Amino acid sequence: MATLDDLRRIADALPGCEERAMTGGAAWFVRGKLFAWECHPWPSIPEDMRAIIAAELVVGVKVAEPLEARALVQMSPDVFLRETTRWSEPKIAFRMAAVDPDHFNELVTEAWRVQAPRYLRQEFDEVHTAR
């Protein structure tokens, strides 16, 4: 099961990443842009989704396109929540207890890529391509 410490470990390896404490929990930013966060059961979330978020650890991440979020929900409805709040769209929220560890790493890294400036993406790619 993935934890917030796992998310911290992944985020620490991403250039320009910063963790901040927010009202709803921990959140990760790249150059001031939010890319991953701990979900909170806000009243604006549909009741069935709010119950999941209240009962277990759920993380939200940015995605490039709304279509990508819909595809993830259709592919794994037991992992990805169909809806949360409207702010910070496009995004996807997922159950940490159910997400595959490799997919989790990819989700966080791709969320960072969506928000990171080009020079940081290039820096990251140069380091990881050289391996």
Side-chain angles (χ1 to χ4, degrees), residues 18-127:
E18 173 190 3
E19 180 179 349
R20 298 182 199 166
M22 304 293 283
T23 304
W28 288 264
F29 295 78
V30 58
R31 296 295 188 248
K33 291 184 172 183
L34 179 68
F35 72 90
W37 59 92
E38 183 179 1
C39 292
H40 186 75
W42 301 111
S44 60
I45 297 172
E47 189 174 335
D48 58 335
M49 298 292 105
R50 192 169 59 241
I52 293 169
I53 294 168
E56 61 186 277
L57 179 58
V58 174
V59 166
V61 294
K62 293 290 288 179
V63 293
E65 300 290 333
L67 184 60
E68 182 180 347
R70 286 192 297 273
L72 288 167
V73 171
Q74 288 178 346
M75 179 179 72
S76 299
D78 57 323
V79 176
F80 297 97
L81 278 60
R82 72 173 192 287
E83 186 180 357
T84 58
T85 61
R86 295 195 192 278
W87 67 268
S88 198
E89 292 288 347
K91 67 179 183 299
I92 189 69
F94 55 90
R95 301 170 57 224
M96 292 284 275
V99 71
D100 175 77
D102 290 333
H103 197 197
F104 173 62
N105 189 11
E106 179 184 337
L107 287 163
V108 173
T109 303
E110 287 305 310
W112 173 85
R113 290 176 88 60
V114 167
Q115 297 292 66
R118 180 180 301 145
Y119 76 94
L120 287 180
R121 293 191 312 263
Q122 288 173 338
E123 178 183 321
F124 179 80
D125 291 343
E126 288 171 5
V127 169

Side-chain angles (χ1 to χ4, degrees), residues 3-12 28 36 59 96 104 108:
T3 66
L4 288 180
D5 285 336
D6 295 325
L7 200 158
R8 284 183 182 95
R9 179 185 46 76
I10 294 166
D12 283 346
W28 288 264
V59 166
M96 292 284 275
F104 173 62
V108 173

